[in-house]
Amino acid sequence: MINQGEEKINFFDTKIACIGDSLTYGSTLLNRKKECYPARLQKLLGDGYDVVNLGLVGHTVNSFCTKFWGQPAMLRSLAEYEPDYILLLLGTNDARLRNWMDESVFRNEYVKLLQYLKSLPSSPTIIAMTPPSAFRDTKKYELDFNIDVLEKIVEIQRSLLKENEINFIDLYSMTKDKEHLFASDKLHLNSKGAKFVAYVAYLGLKDTFEREKNKE
């Protein structure tokens, strides 16, 4: 068993690692341990599945950032967990101007992350999710989040995921007209938003399970 913050990683069942930032961790939720999308996904899947929350608040795809998700300790924990499936939801924090350089840099960083995940000894099936939409007005908040940069990030992810034949869920498009799924900061998910993400992740996994079964 590995301790990752408050989370406990158990070695049993079909193992699903939810990689992400505060959207995965469950920031702003009153009871994040029960309301975050990985916890809700665990309930939807039921017995026989072990879902671990590897969401790290404020973390990025870009390795030059202070809070880079793929730091050695986190990568070791992920490899030791030996996931069968990975749900990848990163990119929102890369849309903060202090974390953004340009499109080519982000593209290279996202490719490196995908390559690492694909190279894990457990050969996990990867299902990526684009960041959801955001409704934050940067003029009213101190956080240097930029919606235009987020849109560029999503476009890059869509292109790369198609090129690498990785199945993905386009949360950005799916939440484009769903401001009611967001917390008061218009950036993080509220309880309904976490429930929504859990459900679409569940459908994506079930579809993947079915396709893999048909290949046998």
Side-chain angles (χ1 to χ4, degrees):
M1 182 180 292
I2 300 172
N3 289 318
Q4 173 55 39
E6 298 176 357
E7 308 297 340
K8 292 182 178 179
I9 302 177
N10 300 296
F11 293 87
F12 58 85
D13 302 323
T14 298
K15 293 179 285 190
I16 301 168
C18 298
I19 293 174
D21 48 36
S22 56
L23 297 173
T24 298
Y25 179 80
S27 295
T28 73
L29 299 174
L30 292 177
N31 188 347
R32 74 148 198 103
K33 286 189 176 181
K34 292 185 177 180
E35 294 183 272
C36 65
Y37 102 75
R40 292 178 183 272
L41 177 61
Q42 177 72 75
K43 287 187 176 180
L44 288 169
L45 290 169
D47 295 338
Y49 297 90
D50 181 53
V51 181
V52 66
N53 186 339
L54 297 182
L56 298 175
V57 176
H59 282 59
T60 63
V61 170
N62 288 328
S63 62
F64 58 79
C65 299
T66 303
K67 293 186 175 181
F68 165 50
W69 190 92
Q71 295 189 35
M74 202 64 218
L75 296 180
R76 282 196 301 271
S77 292
L78 178 63
E80 290 173 5
Y81 178 58
E82 297 182 338
D84 300 296
Y85 297 88
I86 289 175
L87 287 169
L88 175 64
L89 175 51
L90 280 171
T92 297
N93 288 306
D94 295 274
R96 295 184 66 181
L97 296 181
R98 71 188 66 181
N99 295 330
W100 179 253
M101 290 186 69
D102 58 45
E103 295 177 40
S104 62
V105 170
F106 182 82
R107 183 181 179 89
N108 291 336
E109 294 290 310
Y110 197 63
V111 167
K112 284 195 294 185
L113 178 59
L114 292 174
Q115 289 175 339
Y116 174 80
L117 298 180
K118 291 169 71 174
S119 71
L120 286 169
S122 61
S123 300
T125 297
I126 302 167
I127 301 174
M129 293 188 275
T130 67
S133 298
F135 300 88
R136 192 181 193 97
D137 183 352
T138 55
K139 295 178 181 178
K140 295 181 180 179
Y141 297 90
E142 293 181 4
L143 188 65
D144 60 338
F145 180 81
N146 189 287
I147 291 177
D148 293 332
V149 172
L150 179 65
E151 187 170 355
K152 292 178 182 178
I153 285 170
V154 171
E155 289 174 357
I156 292 168
Q157 289 180 333
R158 287 171 181 153
S159 174
L160 288 174
L161 292 167
K162 289 176 182 176
E163 287 176 19
N164 288 273
E165 298 182 332
I166 294 175
N167 291 326
F168 70 96
I169 298 167
D170 194 346
L171 285 180
Y172 186 83
S173 295
M174 296 173 78
T175 56
K176 195 70 174 176
D177 59 349
K178 293 182 172 61
E179 190 171 346
H180 66 282
L181 298 180
F182 291 81
S184 58
D185 65 2
K186 303 302 179 184
L187 181 60
H188 290 93
L189 299 168
N190 59 23
S191 185
K192 290 182 179 178
K195 185 176 182 179
F196 176 83
V197 172
Y199 185 65
V200 297
Y202 170 75
L203 293 180
L205 280 167
K206 296 295 281 187
D207 180 64
T208 299
F209 298 157
E210 188 64 29
R211 283 189 283 102
E212 290 180 345
K213 182 179 178 180
N214 292 334
K215 288 181 180 179
E216 295 177 355

